[in-house]
């Protein structure tokens, strides 16, 4: 379970917080979304949840353990950022090999199953992919790790209007994602 108590985070030395006094409890098997205007702190909260940012005040824990600077806890978290920073000269298949070496829980078979749906050419370099294709690769790499917690920051960012509509409205896609989410929830 994620627990956030009194989270405050700001930037610079102004003393002003981007997010202030945030309290959340996110139980295993649940799905949550952050909704707010641009600049309201959604990504800041997400980066505190993933341990990228250290809270200025308050605590962020997963299963009672602090997330920030805690490798064992961070290994349980999959994260797809709103903009991805992968090695641009690597081919997708080399990114798959990198993840296989970095993450003992990574499943190449799961990646390949997901790629049957997303259909990204694994022989292309990351720099040759559109932003939407890069988001798909990041999503597949993280899902193939089978994380206990999956955090998505603007997961449809970079998808063209047709792909976004297809992803969100196509009953086959909705059924697939419902099955995937159910598998992850049941696994826990």
């Amino acid at each position: 379970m994620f627990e956030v108590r009194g989270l405050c985070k700001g930037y610079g030395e102004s003393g002003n917080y981007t997010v202030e006094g945030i309290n959340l409890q996110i139980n295993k098997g649940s799905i949550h979304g952050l909704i707010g205007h641009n600049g309201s702190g959604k990504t800041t909260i997400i980066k505190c949840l993933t341990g990228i940012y250290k809270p200025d005040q308050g605590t962020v824990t997963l299963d009672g353990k602090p997330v920030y600077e805690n490798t064992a806890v961070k290994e349980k978290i999959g994260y797809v950022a709103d903009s991805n920073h992968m090695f641009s000269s690597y081919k997708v298949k080399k990114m798959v090999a990198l993840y296989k070496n970095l993450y003992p829980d990574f499943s190449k078979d799961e990646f390949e199953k997901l790629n049957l749906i997303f259909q990204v050419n694994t022989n292309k370099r990351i720099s040759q992919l559109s932003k939407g294709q890069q988001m798909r690769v990041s999503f597949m790499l993280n899902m193939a790790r089978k994380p206990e917690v999956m955090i998505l920051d603007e997961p449809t960012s970079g998808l063209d209007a047709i792909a976004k509509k297809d992803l969100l409205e196509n009953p086959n896609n909705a059924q697939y994602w419902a099955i995937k989410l159910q598998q992850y929830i049941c696994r826990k």
Side-chain angles (χ1 to χ4, degrees):
M1 163 178 56
F2 260 119
E3 216 168 342
V4 177
R5 294 287 168 242
L7 173 64
C8 298
K9 179 67 185 165
Y11 301 95
E13 297 184 23
S14 67
N16 295 327
Y17 293 121
T18 303
V19 295
E20 186 172 4
I22 303 296
N23 294 296
L24 295 170
Q25 183 173 325
I26 304 171
N27 295 317
K28 283 189 177 184
S30 64
I31 299 169
H32 287 265
L34 297 175
I35 300 171
H37 297 289
N38 290 346
S40 63
K42 300 178 301 292
T43 295
T44 299
I45 293 169
I46 286 171
K47 288 186 175 183
C48 289
L49 287 172
T50 58
I52 294 169
Y53 289 167
K54 179 181 180 181
D56 294 333
Q57 292 181 23
T59 60
V60 178
T61 60
L62 179 61
D63 296 330
K65 297 176 183 138
V67 177
Y68 184 74
E69 292 189 339
N70 190 333
T71 305
V73 172
K74 287 182 180 185
E75 287 176 352
K76 298 177 181 183
I77 301 170
Y79 174 52
V80 179
D82 58 342
S83 61
N84 294 286
H85 304 282
M86 294 180 269
F87 297 108
S88 61
S89 64
Y90 277 30
K91 292 184 176 181
V92 173
K93 64 184 175 184
K94 190 168 182 180
M95 286 298 300
V96 170
L98 177 67
Y99 265 63
K100 183 86 174 122
N101 288 329
L102 288 175
Y103 300 103
D105 57 0
F106 183 82
S107 167
K108 185 177 177 187
D109 290 339
E110 183 70 14
F111 180 90
E112 289 170 354
K113 285 179 194 172
L114 288 165
N115 202 27
L116 290 173
I117 295 161
F118 288 110
Q119 299 179 0
V120 175
N121 183 341
T122 59
N123 287 312
K124 281 192 168 185
R125 295 189 188 284
I126 298 299
S127 62
Q128 296 173 308
L129 302 175
S130 69
K131 183 179 178 186
Q133 289 170 322
Q134 289 180 27
M135 291 292 284
R136 292 174 186 187
V137 170
S138 180
F139 181 79
M140 291 185 293
L141 289 168
N142 278 280
M143 286 290 279
R145 287 188 47 232
K146 301 178 186 143
E148 287 184 29
V149 176
M150 186 68 160
I151 298 176
L152 310 171
D153 190 355
E154 298 190 34
T156 60
S157 175
L159 295 181
D160 60 72
I162 295 169
K164 190 181 289 190
K165 182 178 181 194
D166 188 47
L167 178 67
L168 298 174
E169 294 179 3
N170 184 321
N172 293 332
N173 285 336
Q175 181 181 18
Y176 171 78
W177 291 115
I179 290 167
K180 290 305 291 179
L181 287 169
Q182 183 180 24
Q183 288 171 347
Y184 276 86
I185 290 168
C186 291
R187 218 184 278 150
K188 309 302 163 214

